């Protein structure tokens, strides 16, 4: 960030009309936006302006025209729907598809818009106003249809007529001459702006749309106020879905019909997350990008996709043979794979560790080595690969078992550990740490028993929804003390226990477990509530994840295929389900916030990719002729033990000896 200051004078004309003007020059030199870099410089200019005499030097008014926007094409429709309504591109395309397929009007299916994967997306009948069909459409469909209708009508309207006015002002003080400028844009004729104005991805304060009072050269102006304001430069904003679509279009990456699926994949696979309408890269995405840029750089260059698109166009025009394109691609790609496949995993990890160092190990505020292990202080931290993906670990493993997730925490220490204080009973230090499986609490450090065997310290997972930054010593000690006895069950006098398990907080009585609600605290839940949860679980043993599937929340009927869509919390995160097709929810959605349209889009996208629940695949129907025996699959791996094969061999031998049944007997059976 770079500091800079701006000076704005509030001035008044002889007719007592006020306006604002900015300092743009001093002593014959122009002052750019970042030129005043300190408060002292700004204060010097402010003192000079406080005693200056202001005079209008020149007034220049230039006419201008703003032409209407053309009808939507695929990319601009996705961008504008994202800006105006916050629709994801995949959601926009799903809505457009349904508008194209049409609705029932008087017993006839009528398409409302033209095909949405070409240019000039417009209503099929301009006389069919948005208000006429609003009651026949879902809310999001109605919004999109109105957007297409307004844009198309506006494209046929007159251009807007503007007047851009620039007033240059001179401020004289002693021997100095300061220059100020006031700008304004006045709409003389609204034209198409009466109906439609396109939103922008990033608002700019450069264009002043204020109306300036009437002034003429030579007029004296009165000073009302001089304001000096401090500012700091900011990095370019993160991409929104709309601005990323626009950028992909500029770079020639993909085609309009693929933009929605590209963005959906980025979110579905956890490469990015949507935060305040901005796409933020996740560690999973950073690691993948680092790998590709290091070992397959040619295939992630911007021009690779664009050039391939051009070749596909040439193939479709019979300008080049398609076999040549495939041969050239596979020759180079096979060579690239050949260079990588002989590398050891450690070499790949070391390369990624070096590339990701600025992100994984940012400089510390105290200037100490960001790779120094905060646990043993002698080992160095580095990128490691485990069963469940990448993590940060210490080089002194197994003596030092410090680990943390890849993400850097707010404490600037890599998010690995934060000291909360000492346990008054044991004197051991309580810390909150970030491990491979999430944040957890730890009491003390690992030790060794008399036989030299490692003794793990006591640990406790943080309940879902509890941030590591919000945890304090008192709450940490209470969580480490779990499980706790809540009280005696009134029926049999047995203890009811409360704790936190792999599926979250729970209460337990005998062999009955019951999960508590998301808005309930396991540390404060009372006996009456615990008894109620236990009894409810006994009456509905299938409810909850421990003894059956989560029944989920009903979202609504699928508008085309029928059947209820349900949102559930699964073992691997929340998802929506419809007729055996399951689709994971994006990171910014929960079963409580997902809408029907969003759920339909996720389900249909998953179905198109061949997704579904394997447990619900239909088995061949019994009856009739016995189906032909499927060809035996080729062996892909050896059995781990011979014992595992013996029961199957015996069963196969018995089956071979058994007499074959006739077709009639099989059918009857």
């Amino acid at each position: 960030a770079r500091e800079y200051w701006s000076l704005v004078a509030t001035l008044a004309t002889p007719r007592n009309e006020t306006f604002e003007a900015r300092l743009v020059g001093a002593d014959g030199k122009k002052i750019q936006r970042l030129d005043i870099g300190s408060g002292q410089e700004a204060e010097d200019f402010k003192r000079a302006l406080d005693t200056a005499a202001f005079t209008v030097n020149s007034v220049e008014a230039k006419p201008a025209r703003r032409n209407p926007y053309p009808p939507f094409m695929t990319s601009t429709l996705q961008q504008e729907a994202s800006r105006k309504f916050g629709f994801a591109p995949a959601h926009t395309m799903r809505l457009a598809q349904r508008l194209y397929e049409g609705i029932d009007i008087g017993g006839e299916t009528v398409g409302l818009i033209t095909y949405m994967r070409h240019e000039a997306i417009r209503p099929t009948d301009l006389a069919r106003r948005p208000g006429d069909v609003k009651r026949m459409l879902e809310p999001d469909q109605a919004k999109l249809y109105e957007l297409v209708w307004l844009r198309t009508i506006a494209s046929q309207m007159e251009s807007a007529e503007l007047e851009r006015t620039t007033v240059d002002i001179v401020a004289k003080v002693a021997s100095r001459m300061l220059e100020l400028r006031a700008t304004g844009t006045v709409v003389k004729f609204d034209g198409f702006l009466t109906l439609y104005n396109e939103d922008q991805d990033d608002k700019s304060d450069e264009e002043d749309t204020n109306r300036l009072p009437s002034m003429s050269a030579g007029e004296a102006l009165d000073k009302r106020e001089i304001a000096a304001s401090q500012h700091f430069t900011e990095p370019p904003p993160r991409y929104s879905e709309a601005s990323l679509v626009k950028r992909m279009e500029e770079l020639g990456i993909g085609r309009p019909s693929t933009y929605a699926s590209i963005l959906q994949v980025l979110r579905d696979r956890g490469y990015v997350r949507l935060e305040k309408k901005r796409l933020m890269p996740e560690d999973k995405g950073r690691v993948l990008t680092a790998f590709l840029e290091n070992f397959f750089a040619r295939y992630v260059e911007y021009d690779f996709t664009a050039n391939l698109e051009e070749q596909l166009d040439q193939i479709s025009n019979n300008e080049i043979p398609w076999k040549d394109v495939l041969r050239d691609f596979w020759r180079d790609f096979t060579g690239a794979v050949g260079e990588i496949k002989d590398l050891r995993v450690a070499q790949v990890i070391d390369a990624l560790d070096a590339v990701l160092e600025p992100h994984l190990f940012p400089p510390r505020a105290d200037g100490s080595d960001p790779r120094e292990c905060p646990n043993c202080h002698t080992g160095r931290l580095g990128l490691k690969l485990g069963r469940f993906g990448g993590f940060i670990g210490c080089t002194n493993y197994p003596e030092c078992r410090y680990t943390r997730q890849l993400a850097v925490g707010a404490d600037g220490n890599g998010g690995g550990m934060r000291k909360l204080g000492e346990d008054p009973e044991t004197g051991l230090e309580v810390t909150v740490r970030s491990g491979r499986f999430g944040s957890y609490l730890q009491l003390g450090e690992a030790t060794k028993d008399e036989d030299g065997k490692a003794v793990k310290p006591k640990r406790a997972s943080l309940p879902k929804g509890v941030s590591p930054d919000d945890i304090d010593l008192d709450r940490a000690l209470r969580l480490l003390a779990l499980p706790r006895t809540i009280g005696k069950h009134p029926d049999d006098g047995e203890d009811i226990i409360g704790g936190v398990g792999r599926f979250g907080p729970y209460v337990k009585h005998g062999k009955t477990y019951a999960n508590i609600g998301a808005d309930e605290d396991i540390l404060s839940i009372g006996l009456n509530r615990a008894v109620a949860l236990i009894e409810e679980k006994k009456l509905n043993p299938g409810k909850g994840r421990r003894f059956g599937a989560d029944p989920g929340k009903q979202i609504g009927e699928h508008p085309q295929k029928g059947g209820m869509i349900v949102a559930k919390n699964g073992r691997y995160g929340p998802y929506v389900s419809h007729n055996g097709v399951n689709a994971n929810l994006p990171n910014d959605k929960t079963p409580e916030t997902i809408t029907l349209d969003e759920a339909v889009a996720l389900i249909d996208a998953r179905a198109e990719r061949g997704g579904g629940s394997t447990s619900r695949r239909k088995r061949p129907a019994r009856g009739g002729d016995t189906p032909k025996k499927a060809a035996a699959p080729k062996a892909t791996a050896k059995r781990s033990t011979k014992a595992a094969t013996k029961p199957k061999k015996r069963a196969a031998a018995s089956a071979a000896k058994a007499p074959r049944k006739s077709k009639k007997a099989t059918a009857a059976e």
Side-chain angles (χ1 to χ4, degrees), residues 57-70:
N57 187 43
S58 65
V59 179
E60 184 179 16
K62 292 182 178 179
R65 290 169 63 87
R66 185 179 297 175
N67 297 323
Y69 306 101

Side-chain angles (χ1 to χ4, degrees), residues 11-19 212-215 221-222 224:
L11 306 173
T13 68
R15 291 158 294 283
N16 207 31
E17 298 170 309
T18 60
F19 65 98
L212 294 175
S214 177
M215 287 176 278
L221 302 171
D222 290 335
R224 295 294 170 86

Side-chain angles (χ1 to χ4, degrees), residues 44-122:
D44 292 341
F45 280 119
K46 186 177 184 299
R47 281 197 300 267
L49 290 171
D50 278 331
T51 59
F54 298 88
T55 307
V56 177
N57 187 43
S58 65
V59 179
E60 184 179 16
K62 292 182 178 179
R65 290 169 63 87
R66 185 179 297 175
N67 297 323
Y69 306 101
F72 284 122
M73 53 192 295
T74 307
S75 60
T76 55
L77 177 64
Q78 294 175 7
Q79 293 172 48
E80 194 68 343
S82 177
R83 297 185 193 114
K84 280 186 161 58
F85 309 130
F87 291 170
H91 184 52
T92 298
M93 297 310 291
R94 184 60 197 165
L95 294 173
Q97 176 70 34
R98 290 160 73 177
L99 292 175
Y100 168 72
E101 291 172 353
I103 60 174
D104 188 293
I105 300 180
E108 180 183 359
T109 301
V110 177
L112 298 181
I113 65 171
T114 57
Y115 191 51
M116 64 287 167
R117 298 192 186 277
H118 291 25
E119 294 184 1
I121 302 169
R122 59 198 186 281

Side-chain angles (χ1 to χ4, degrees), residues 66 183-187 206-212:
R66 185 179 297 175
T183 58
T185 301
V186 178
V187 179
E206 297 297 324
E207 185 178 356
D208 192 346
T209 58
N210 295 328
R211 184 187 294 270
L212 294 175

